Structures are given as C-alpha cells and as structure tokens.
Amino acid sequence: MPELSKISPQELSIERLGVAHIHVLEALHQTSFEKPWTVGEFGKLLNHQDTGGFIALNAQLAPLGFILVRGAGDEAEILTLCVDPHHRGQKIATRIIDRLIADYKAQEMDRIFLEVGQENQPAIALYRQCGFERVGERPDYYRKPGEMPEAAIIMAYSCR
C-alpha cells in the first residue's frame, strides 16, 4: 500500500465515537494488533453508557485513528488506541489523547489509566509526552504463543 500524504492539523478533525463506527474501528484495529477486536466486541463495548471515545478523520472524512475509553465513577481507562500505520508519526495519536484529556477535565474526572506492554517503547514515550506517569506494573500480563510473557506497565494521567 503506498504511503499516504501528510495530514496538517487543519485537515484533521476529532469526533466522538458511536456504534455507527464499529466497522471502521475493526478495520483500523486490524492494522495495529495481532489479535484485533471484532465488530461484535466493539459493538458490545460501545453499547455501554460508560464507554466511548474519539475518532480522527481527515478532510475527506477517512478514519485515521481512534481511542476507546471506559469510565468508572471519576476515573477512566483507555481500552485501546490505534492510528493507521501509514499516518503514524504525524501526532494524530497525540491529538486524540489531547482531546480525550480536555474532555475529561471538563467533566471533572480525576484520572485516566492505561496498560501498555513494557516492550512497547514508542507507546510508552507517547503516553509520557502526553503527561501520563508510570504508577505500577502487572507481571506476565501479555502472553503470546511461543514467546516469554511481557509485563504491562500501568500509567495514569491526573486530570486535576
């Protein structure tokens, strides 16, 4: 697949996710994960009142990335985040996370949590750049057949 053109900040819009996006979410998730979630899994999650997120669209309304989050009281957990591989390195994930943080600050949420594989240094760097801090670890959390288990780093962002 040929590399797509760079996206300027003016060409990118960040909109709320809805159940209508489930097929798009599945397609994007397939580009980023070995075990992508299905339309059914996205549908179940988005049918819950406490689950939502944001999707990044270019000027032609093509989806470039998304974040899915579940809330619980005054805290939230990022369930997944992905950006189309052809558009990585253009600060799309940063813009999505910034929108999420702004939204949750306006809702007076306390903290946003996430888990990330300890070997996923690009993601850890992204989250740190966005203000997340390491708050814990889950040993042997991620397991892939034929590979050693990988710890999950727990990170949190304080919205206050």
Side-chain angles (χ1 to χ4, degrees):
M1 188 171 202
E3 183 160 337
L4 303 174
S5 62
K6 298 287 183 190
I7 305 297
S8 72
Q10 298 79 17
E11 294 175 308
L12 188 70
S13 64
I14 310 288
E15 299 180 6
R16 288 195 184 280
L17 281 181
V19 175
H21 293 110
I22 60 175
H23 292 283
V24 170
L25 302 183
E26 179 189 51
L28 280 170
H29 213 252
Q30 287 176 351
T31 68
S32 299
F33 294 95
E34 284 182 32
K35 294 176 87 176
W37 296 353
T38 66
V39 165
E41 290 167 319
F42 281 113
K44 285 179 185 176
L45 286 166
L46 286 169
N47 275 314
H48 286 226
Q49 181 179 353
D50 58 352
T51 304
F54 294 97
I55 188 166
L57 305 167
N58 68 10
Q60 293 75 38
L61 303 180
L64 305 179
F66 72 91
I67 193 166
L68 187 65
V69 185
R70 176 177 37 216
D74 63 351
E75 295 181 339
E77 176 188 13
I78 295 174
L79 301 175
T80 192
L81 167 70
C82 69
V83 171
D84 180 315
H86 295 96
H87 290 288
R88 291 184 185 156
Q90 298 185 54
K91 304 283 184 196
I92 294 168
T94 301
R95 300 244 339 255
I96 295 169
I97 293 169
D98 287 348
R99 172 68 189 271
L100 174 74
I101 289 170
D103 189 68
Y104 279 10
K105 281 183 175 183
Q107 293 180 43
E108 298 184 355
M109 294 290 272
D110 187 34
R111 292 192 297 177
I112 305 168
F113 290 93
L114 62 88
E115 294 165 344
V116 60
Q118 71 180 5
E119 301 299 321
N120 193 345
Q121 293 303 311
I124 292 170
L126 166 71
Y127 294 128
R128 281 190 179 133
Q129 177 189 0
C130 291
F132 285 79
E133 296 179 354
R134 181 184 174 136
V135 295
E137 180 177 317
R138 294 186 198 279
D140 302 336
Y141 186 75
Y142 294 107
R143 297 177 180 269
K144 295 179 185 173
E147 294 184 22
M148 295 293 295
E150 179 182 1
I153 304 302
I154 303 167
M155 302 182 82
Y157 179 90
S158 176
C159 296
R160 298 185 188 257

